[in-house]
């Protein structure tokens, strides 16, 4: 009986908790597009998703992670180091490469890391064991969530309630691709390349504008009003909750097709070009909207290229730009408390007048 219980526990431990299929999610096209483009090109800079409670934000974010192809990492490495890309290696792996040592590798699922609201800076960044460093001369680093999220997705639910200092740390790491921990003159640096995804409810407070600007894209989602769509959403969720494996089987073909499209788009991305005239038009839109800095121009160019790659093209067209530009610019506009027009509509008005 004892051995039987051990077997049951082992089976349950190995059993992966089913994730709601991305292709089964009804509506919320803006959020789904923003997430897809960010996994095709993580350099877009992540996405902030703001919307009503109970609109499937968390479900969609976890579903996109489940779609991504496995990644190759150095075996037993704490930072998911890439075995050949120097920029994605920890110092220990770099040392092995420089010595010419063989690096054993393994394939793992793309990391999906949740950052809890109550997390401390040490939990996020990692800690250095000062006592061991001083007494034994050994630099011992306990990795944090940024290390675990390297080459994956870091998800912060209710990011607008997160301590501003932690948001600064996250955005700096996301922008630079590195996390540096310094304690008592001892410093450890490791790669931290991840897609930063934040979600929140605007009723609970806004992010500071300078922090909001650091997110590549901003998706706004609203509760579905159409009765037939609401019924369809409820049916899909009920079907999944009653028997997730049957639901997964039903959408397996669509999931496989989308997985293949993402992988192909990632490979094609480096060959996608955008004509000079179209780049000028993008910058003209940003200038007309009085967008501060150049992040809006850069992100719009990147997102348009990712969309072209997703659509099996190597050249960006004007429709690609029109599709992504609101997502890239709406959160970068200066807020006027007396203005009644929505920021997304304002972007669209300028886009229609310039991108003809």
């Amino acid at each position: 009986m004892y051995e039987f219980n051990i077997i049951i526990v082992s089976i349950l431990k190995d059993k992966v908790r089913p994730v709601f299929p991305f292709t089964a999610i009804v509506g919320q096209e803006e959020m789904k597009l923003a997430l897809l483009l960010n996994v095709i090109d993580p350099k877009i800079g992540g996405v902030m998703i703001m919307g009503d409670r109970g609109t499937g934000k968390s479900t969609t974010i976890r579903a996109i992670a489940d779609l991504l192809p496995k990644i190759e990492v150095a075996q037993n490495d704490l930072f998911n180091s890439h075995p050949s890309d120097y920029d994605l290696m920890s110092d220990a792996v770099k040392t092995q490469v420089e010595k010419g040592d063989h690096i054993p590798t393994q394939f793992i699922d793309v990391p999906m890391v949740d950052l809890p609201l109550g997390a401390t800076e040490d939990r996020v960044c990692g800690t250095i064991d000062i006592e061991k460093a001083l007494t034994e001369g050994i630099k011992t680093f306990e990795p944090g969530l940024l290390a675990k999220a390297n080459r994956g997705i870091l998800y912060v639910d209710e990011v607008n309630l997160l301590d501003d200092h932690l948001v600064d740390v996250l955005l700096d790491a996301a922008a630079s691709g590195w996390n540096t921990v310094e304690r008592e003159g001892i410093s450890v640096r490791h790669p931290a390349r991840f897609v930063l995804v934040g979600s929140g409810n605007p009723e609970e407070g806004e992010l500071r504008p300078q922090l909001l600007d650091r997110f590549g894209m901003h998706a706004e989602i609203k509760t579905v009003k159409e009765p037939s769509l609401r019924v369809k959403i409820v049916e899909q969720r009920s079907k999944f909750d009653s028997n997730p494996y049957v639901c997964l089987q039903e959408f397996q073909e669509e999931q496989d097709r989308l997985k293949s499209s993402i992988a192909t788009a990632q490979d094609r991305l480096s060959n996608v070009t955008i004509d000079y005239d179209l780049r000028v038009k993008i910058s003209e839109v940003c200038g007309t909207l009085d967008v501060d800095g150049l992040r809006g121009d850069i992100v719009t160019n990147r997102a348009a290229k990712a969309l072209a790659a997703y659509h099996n093209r190597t050249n960006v067209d004007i429709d690609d730009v029109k599709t992504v530009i609101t997502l890239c610019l709406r959160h970068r506009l200066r807020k006027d408390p007396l203005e009644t027009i929505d920021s997304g509509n304002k972007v669209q008005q300028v886009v229609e007048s310039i991108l003809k």
Side-chain angles (χ1 to χ4, degrees), residues 204-216:
E204 293 166 349
E206 294 282 353
L207 273 178
R208 287 179 291 155
Q210 62 268 40
L211 297 181
L212 196 55
D213 178 63
R214 298 287 287 274
F215 282 92

Side-chain angles (χ1 to χ4, degrees), residues 181-194:
V181 181
E182 293 182 339
R183 299 285 186 276
E184 309 296 333
I186 299 168
S187 177
V188 173
R189 184 170 177 261
H190 69 78
R193 304 283 179 91
F194 51 81

Side-chain angles (χ1 to χ4, degrees), residues 80-331:
N80 305 322
S81 291
H82 197 288
S84 57
D85 187 335
Y86 208 68
D87 288 336
L88 295 174
M89 289 181 191
S90 64
D91 289 340
V93 175
K94 281 180 186 174
T95 303
Q96 284 182 278
V97 170
E98 286 162 3
K99 286 180 181 177
D101 294 345
H102 170 69
I103 300 173
T105 63
Q106 65 185 101
F107 283 87
I108 64 167
D109 292 329
V110 169
M112 167 73 191
V113 177
D114 283 279
L115 191 146
L117 275 180
T120 62
E121 186 178 351
D122 284 349
R123 178 81 181 97
V124 174
C125 299
T127 56
I128 298 169
D129 190 332
I130 299 297
E131 187 179 343
K132 190 170 279 191
L134 294 175
T135 57
E136 301 177 32
I138 301 169
K139 192 188 287 186
T140 306
F141 180 65
E142 182 66 36
L145 296 176
L146 293 181
K148 292 177 181 176
N150 187 37
R151 300 178 65 200
I153 296 172
L154 182 62
Y155 174 45
V156 190
D157 194 11
E158 307 293 354
V159 67
N160 45 337
L161 302 181
L162 197 66
D163 182 75
D164 282 345
H165 174 61
L166 281 183
V167 176
D168 286 338
V169 168
L170 289 178
L171 293 175
D172 284 342
S176 66
W178 291 90
N179 174 45
T180 305
V181 181
E182 293 182 339
R183 299 285 186 276
E184 309 296 333
I186 299 168
S187 177
V188 173
R189 184 170 177 261
H190 69 78
R193 304 283 179 91
F194 51 81
V195 175
L196 179 61
V197 180
S199 68
N201 182 350
E203 292 175 4
E204 293 166 349
E206 294 282 353
L207 273 178
R208 287 179 291 155
Q210 62 268 40
L211 297 181
L212 196 55
D213 178 63
R214 298 287 287 274
F215 282 92
M217 305 178 92
H218 185 284
E220 289 183 357
I221 56 174
K222 293 180 172 61
T223 305
V224 175
K225 302 295 183 189
E226 190 180 327
S228 60
L229 272 182
R230 291 174 74 110
V231 169
K232 190 174 180 183
I233 292 167
V234 172
E235 284 176 350
Q236 293 282 43
R237 186 72 230 188
S238 300
K239 187 190 296 183
F240 180 79
D241 289 340
S242 62
N243 197 328
Y245 298 102
V246 169
C247 185
L248 288 171
Q249 189 66 38
E250 183 184 331
F251 287 92
Q252 191 60 54
E253 199 173 313
E254 288 178 61
Q255 290 280 102
D256 290 342
R257 270 201 302 270
L258 187 52
K259 274 184 186 180
S260 177
S261 296
I262 290 171
T264 305
Q266 288 171 334
D267 292 338
R268 185 182 290 111
L269 185 62
S270 59
N271 299 319
V272 177
T273 58
I274 180 166
D275 293 340
Y276 176 76
D277 290 344
L278 198 47
R279 280 182 276 148
V280 170
K281 293 281 188 187
I282 290 169
S283 292
E284 189 181 342
V285 170
C286 294
T288 304
L289 288 166
D290 201 20
V291 174
D292 290 331
L294 294 173
R295 281 203 186 101
D297 307 54
I298 293 166
V299 170
T300 304
N301 276 269
R302 284 193 178 281
K305 284 183 177 182
L307 184 60
Y310 180 62
H311 288 152
N312 296 323
R313 287 184 278 103
T314 54
N315 195 52
V316 173
D317 64 29
I318 199 164
D319 289 330
D320 294 327
V321 177
K322 284 182 175 180
T323 302
V324 303
I325 198 164
T326 302
L327 285 165
C328 300
L329 298 184
R330 63 150 61 98
H331 58 301

